[in-house]
Amino acid sequence: MEYKRTLVIGDIHGSIDALESALKAAHYSPSEDRIICLGDYIDGWKYSYEVVDKLIALQAASPFENIYLKGNHEEWFLEVLNQNFEQFRVDRFITTKYRDWMLSGGLSTYLSYAQRSDAEILRHKTAFFDKLKLYHIENQKLFVHAGFDYQMGFEASLQFYPESLLWDRTLFRKVVQLWNLEQEGAWVDKKVTKIDQFEKIYIGHTPTIKYNWSIPQKMGNVINLDQGCKTTGVLSIWIEEQDVFFQNK
């Protein structure tokens, strides 16, 4: 059985309403579509548990393998679960030790999960968080949360600086620089605008609203699907086979 469409979903950040609405706008069909998520499912809006539970359910109902990638926010949460789960309900300890995570949206995730049983938290950890992939490649297309070190390239970044796949912003900054030059009428070598060896590179992590773009832009061979759902509630879904996108309403 072959899927008909691949739905690439940007950073959800705890907004179950955005996820369900965007899937509806894209006319998602479990029997015909598969999903690739670019990470950052949690931290932001207050329904991180519900988002993860929904994604687990979507996989259970699908005849296809959905691809769920790890974002930097899942890296934070996994550190808490792996290293200090015994103290998870000691809120003063968690909020102090993981202050950076808390200030970056982690408090909403902590509150979302703290009301669940230990067994339920560990179910999500085993069924979802432990299975997240760092990247996915198929048919000369790269799917990754943040990108990679632009100067090093993907292969070297993966080997020597794998955390860049979760945190790096140099790739998108370079793409924006080249895009702006083209928009200003400057000549830019097409070999330069094609980043690395891939036909397409799908990323999230850096909200395009910081550059005053509320919709996804295909810049060279890079498509950024983080339109700032963490703060605006706007979630994008890109149909890989058609190069069209949908957003929640």
Side-chain angles (χ1 to χ4, degrees):
M1 187 176 182
E2 291 290 331
Y3 54 82
K4 294 184 178 179
R5 301 189 305 169
T6 300
L7 278 61
V8 188
I9 303 178
D11 304 34
I12 303 167
H13 281 296
S15 179
I16 187 65
D17 291 342
L19 175 59
E20 293 180 339
S21 179
L23 287 171
K24 183 177 180 180
H27 307 289
Y28 170 68
S29 170
S31 63
E32 297 183 347
D33 302 328
R34 66 150 179 175
I35 290 171
I36 299 179
C37 287
L38 299 177
D40 279 5
Y41 314 97
I42 61 174
D43 297 357
W45 300 88
K46 63 181 181 179
Y47 297 108
S48 290
Y49 170 88
E50 288 81 1
V51 166
V52 173
D53 213 48
K54 177 72 172 182
L55 293 173
I56 293 173
L58 288 176
Q59 179 58 80
S62 176
F64 314 113
E65 180 189 2
N66 293 333
I67 307 296
Y68 297 145
L69 302 183
K70 182 191 291 185
N72 58 299
H73 287 268
E74 288 75 55
E75 180 82 345
W76 262 324
F77 191 40
L78 273 169
E79 181 181 341
V80 176
L81 297 181
N82 286 328
Q83 298 183 13
N84 289 286
F85 186 63
E86 295 80 5
Q87 288 81 35
F88 187 75
R89 300 185 189 284
V90 184
D91 56 358
R92 185 172 183 180
F93 172 82
I94 296 294
T95 55
T96 301
K97 183 173 179 60
Y98 296 100
R99 185 172 181 272
D100 288 345
W101 177 49
M102 289 289 146
L103 294 176
S104 298
L107 179 59
S108 63
T109 299
Y110 178 66
L111 294 174
S112 179
Y113 274 91
Q115 59 185 299
R116 316 292 169 179
S117 67
D118 286 2
E120 186 63 6
I121 297 171
L122 293 176
R123 181 181 73 86
H124 272 206
K125 180 179 183 296
T126 301
F128 187 78
F129 291 102
D130 286 344
K131 294 182 178 180
L132 297 177
K133 298 181 178 181
L134 187 59
Y135 66 95
H136 177 68
I137 297 174
E138 64 180 35
N139 302 322
Q140 285 300 106
K141 300 175 182 70
L142 171 66
F143 303 83
V144 64
H145 176 61
F148 49 86
D149 188 294
Y150 170 76
Q151 294 183 328
M152 293 177 67
F154 174 73
E155 293 295 340
S157 294
L158 181 60
Q159 182 176 359
F160 300 108
Y161 187 27
E163 58 268 32
S164 68
L165 278 62
L166 299 175
W167 295 94
D168 185 81
R169 300 190 194 275
T170 64
L171 175 68
F172 189 61
R173 288 172 184 157
K174 185 63 177 182
V175 168
V176 170
Q177 180 188 30
L178 296 172
W179 170 267
N180 286 335
L181 287 173
E182 287 189 314
Q183 297 306 301
E184 293 167 1
W187 180 84
V188 180
D189 191 335
K190 294 299 180 184
K191 294 180 180 180
V192 176
T193 60
K194 183 180 180 181
I195 306 298
D196 219 278
Q197 76 269 27
F198 302 102
E199 178 186 332
K200 291 180 184 176
I201 301 174
Y202 287 93
I203 63 172
H205 187 57
T206 302
T208 63
I209 56 170
K210 292 184 176 181
Y211 298 86
N212 297 316
W213 294 317
S214 60
I215 61 175
Q217 298 279 358
K218 186 176 182 182
M219 302 179 177
N221 62 333
V222 176
I223 301 167
N224 185 336
L225 293 179
D226 183 354
Q227 274 63 68
C229 189
K230 185 179 181 183
T231 55
T232 67
V234 176
L235 179 64
S236 298
I237 296 179
W238 188 280
I239 309 302
E240 207 292 311
E241 294 81 2
Q242 302 168 353
D243 277 348
V244 298
F245 70 89
F246 298 88
Q247 292 180 316
N248 56 303
K249 299 177 180 178

